[in-house]
Amino acid sequence: MPNIVAVGLQWGDEGKGKIVDFIASRADIVVRFQGGHNAGHTLVVGGKVFKLSLIPSGVIRPNLLSVIGNGVVIDPWVLLNEIETLEAMGISISERNLAIADCASLVLPLHSELDILRERIAGKAKIGTTGRGIGPAYEDKVGRRAIRICDLACESSISKRLDALLEHHSALRIGLGQERPDRQALFDGLAEIAPKVYRFAAPVWQLLHNARSSKKNILFEGAQGIFLDIDYGTYPFVTSSSTAASSAYAGTGTAPGALDRVLGICKAYSTRVGSGPFPTELNDEVGRRLADVGQERGTVTGRRRRCGWFDAAMVSQACRLSGAYAVALTKIDVLDGIEELKIGVGYKLDGEFREFLPPLAEEQARAIPVYESLPGWRESTADARNFADFPDNAIAYIRRIEKLIGCPIRILSNSPRRESTIVLEDLFSAS
Ligand code: IMP
């Protein structure tokens, strides 16, 4: 298997977890490289539902090493909780199947408190974050005051780093009319979990380098989607990490050349959770139907996702930004029974046609989608096992999307189950 990076091509929630789990059958190592527990992956395997947010989706496959790279921000309490839940479901986690980058930064309770507080202050202008403290944790990392996994090795290091961190956060909280953070509680909490987390610490850059030398297959698992990327997304309504495929290098310590192929993943329609522009959003019966049939509720926060037509202009931009050689199209079954389907092919802005979304949030909000219409299909696609089993109109819809985004669709997912994954063209053959 070539080394593959799987990334979301929309606003997250594309069904990456299921596709990563599918490809992971051929991988030796699955690595996460950005984001944190703002991500949520649901996997349905053998009648069991696994909900993951920090640990890579490969973890439920035996004999596979799961790696959390340095680009991920890690809430150690969430991590330990996730390990406990997995163990209760029969998946044992040890240093043999989980490694965490020793230089990865931590998310602490003060980060989520700040995240929630800022959102409350912003009122209507809020980003609609997951409230998990992801943005504040990345700010501290870049501000060179984060506590990292390697600091958990000894209490004096935790104490020293905590002082540097609290100098900043005390000033910030006082400025926002809040009490200073409770240093003792933070220290005690960290000292208590430190040995339980530190046992997974590893020089991930070296581990991956060695794995490449011994020809191991590595699968890099992206979180969120290109339009939540800090640079290319619908800024400021974005997450605080780079969600593009290129971030797999910096987020794991691998060098250019370590990734052979980029697989883009998108839904057969669009969804978004949180605030921000969404040109093809449907605030009508069809939108509600997509939300209900697609069970569009956030895995992490339980918030209802906004739904809309497939935006080919957006996904085509995402394919270019990520360098996708192939696409996995998910949740095609959710469109069953809709009489007429629309696909966004560009935008009208102030009377002018735009091939892609402009960078200004105000202009993105004013962009009016230009649509192509296609006939829908009545039949259920949920039980199809081959592409040939699909209704003609579903095949035409998929082929039209492929043409518009300029990238071949090699995988189709037509239900949450692992076995409902149809390979149109071998993912690993030469393109
Ligand atoms: P944050 O990452 O919690 O700061 O949230 C910033 C924006 O990204 C919000 O609109 C969130 O709803 C969105 N977001 C973050 N993680 C995910 C995800 O895994 N799926 C979908 N949206 C996400």
Side-chain angles (χ1 to χ4, degrees):
M1 182 187 110
N3 292 338
I4 288 185
V5 53
V7 291
L9 300 175
Q10 293 160 316
W11 281 292
D13 307 319
E14 296 92 351
K16 292 181 290 296
K18 180 187 158 174
I19 302 297
V20 166
D21 167 65
F22 178 75
I23 306 172
S25 65
R26 304 267 291 262
D28 301 300
I29 303 177
V30 181
V31 196
R32 268 204 55 190
F33 53 89
Q34 46 73 228
H37 65 301
N38 49 352
H41 297 148
T42 306
L43 305 172
V44 186
V45 180
K48 283 189 189 169
V49 180
F50 296 87
K51 288 187 189 290
L52 301 168
S53 64
L54 261 177
I55 301 181
S57 301
V59 75
I60 57 173
R61 295 217 176 244
N63 310 321
L64 207 141
L65 175 65
S66 291
V67 175
I68 301 180
N70 53 276
V72 177
V73 284
I74 301 162
D75 182 319
W77 292 276
V78 170
L79 177 84
L80 293 176
N81 234 323
E82 204 164 302
I83 291 174
E84 211 174 281
T85 308
L86 283 166
E87 294 210 310
M89 293 182 81
I91 311 280
S92 64
I93 311 283
S94 72
E95 298 87 313
R96 280 191 294 116
N97 64 348
L98 177 65
I100 302 178
D102 46 14
C103 54
S105 299
L106 299 187
V107 182
L108 303 178
L110 53 73
H111 291 126
S112 48
E113 283 161 28
L114 183 60
D115 194 356
I116 293 165
L117 181 65
R118 279 182 178 154
E119 287 280 272
R120 208 169 60 223
I121 294 169
K124 278 196 175 151
K126 70 178 182 187
I127 304 292
T129 70
T130 59
R132 299 300 191 257
I134 304 300
Y138 275 116
E139 284 171 36
D140 282 343
K141 173 179 176 169
V142 178
R144 295 165 290 198
R145 54 181 174 262
I147 300 182
R148 305 193 301 169
I149 292 285
C150 52
D151 294 316
L152 300 179
C154 67
E155 291 195 356
S156 65
S157 179
I158 298 176
S159 184
K160 206 165 126 201
R161 300 298 309 158
L162 201 51
D163 284 338
L165 185 73
L166 292 191
E167 203 179 297
H168 175 79
H169 278 270
S170 296
L172 199 56
R173 285 176 53 144
I174 289 166
L176 292 169
Q178 304 294 306
E179 294 198 340
R180 288 168 190 275
D182 183 341
R183 187 189 187 283
Q184 194 61 45
L186 270 169
F187 178 82
D188 292 346
L190 282 168
E192 200 235 314
I193 51 95
K196 297 181 205 160
V197 174
Y198 187 72
R199 71 183 179 112
F200 298 106
V204 159
W205 68 270
Q206 196 179 3
L207 186 154
L208 294 179
H209 179 84
N210 293 344
R212 279 189 72 207
S213 304
S214 48
K215 304 265 179 287
K216 290 258 166 54
N217 299 324
I218 310 171
L219 172 57
F220 296 83
E221 176 181 11
Q224 290 88 43
I226 298 280
F227 288 90
L228 289 174
D229 182 277
I230 189 73
D231 291 298
Y232 312 118
T234 46
Y235 193 92
F237 302 99
V238 292
T239 191
S240 298
S241 64
S242 169
T243 60
S246 48
S247 139
Y249 296 121
T252 60
T254 41
L259 305 180
D260 301 308
R261 293 188 183 176
V262 179
L263 175 71
I265 302 166
C266 60
K267 265 182 206 172
Y269 50 100
S270 307
T271 63
R272 156 160 226 175
V273 57
S275 324
F278 182 173
T280 62
E281 182 170 14
L282 289 167
N283 289 307
D284 61 6
E285 200 40 54
V286 181
R288 280 188 287 280
R289 177 191 175 130
L290 292 174
D292 291 341
V293 178
Q295 297 185 11
E296 296 296 353
R297 274 195 187 280
T299 313
V300 174
T301 57
R303 289 180 293 177
R304 202 174 166 90
R305 297 181 188 136
R306 300 154 65 191
C307 295
W309 295 123
F310 186 85
D311 191 336
M314 240 180 77
V315 174
S316 139
Q317 183 183 348
C319 285
R320 294 174 202 205
L321 281 167
S322 58
Y325 85 106
V327 163
L329 189 74
T330 62
K331 299 187 95 164
I332 185 75
D333 55 306
V334 175
L335 300 180
D336 295 350
I338 299 180
E339 206 167 309
E340 184 193 30
L341 299 169
K342 291 188 179 174
I343 302 177
V345 294
Y347 314 93
K348 268 267 165 78
L349 185 66
D350 305 329
E352 229 177 77
F353 180 77
R354 301 282 188 104
E355 195 180 352
F356 300 113
L357 265 189
L360 261 186
E362 293 72 19
E363 289 192 344
Q364 291 170 355
R366 284 210 320 277
I368 300 164
V370 176
Y371 288 119
E372 259 187 39
S373 294
L374 279 88
W377 54 92
R378 287 221 164 95
E379 306 87 328
S380 161
T381 57
D383 295 320
R385 287 290 164 268
N386 299 293
F387 194 41
D389 299 338
F390 276 67
D392 289 348
N393 285 354
I395 292 177
Y397 180 77
I398 293 161
R399 291 297 184 212
R400 185 63 191 144
I401 284 181
E402 201 169 42
K403 185 111 203 288
L404 287 167
I405 63 174
C407 195
I409 294 171
R410 289 202 178 192
I411 297 185
L412 274 179
S413 166
N414 55 331
S415 102
R417 297 183 307 260
R418 188 185 255 173
E419 55 279 14
S420 300
T421 313
I422 297 169
V423 178
L424 304 192
E425 208 178 321
D426 182 8
L427 204 55
F428 308 110
S429 68
S431 47

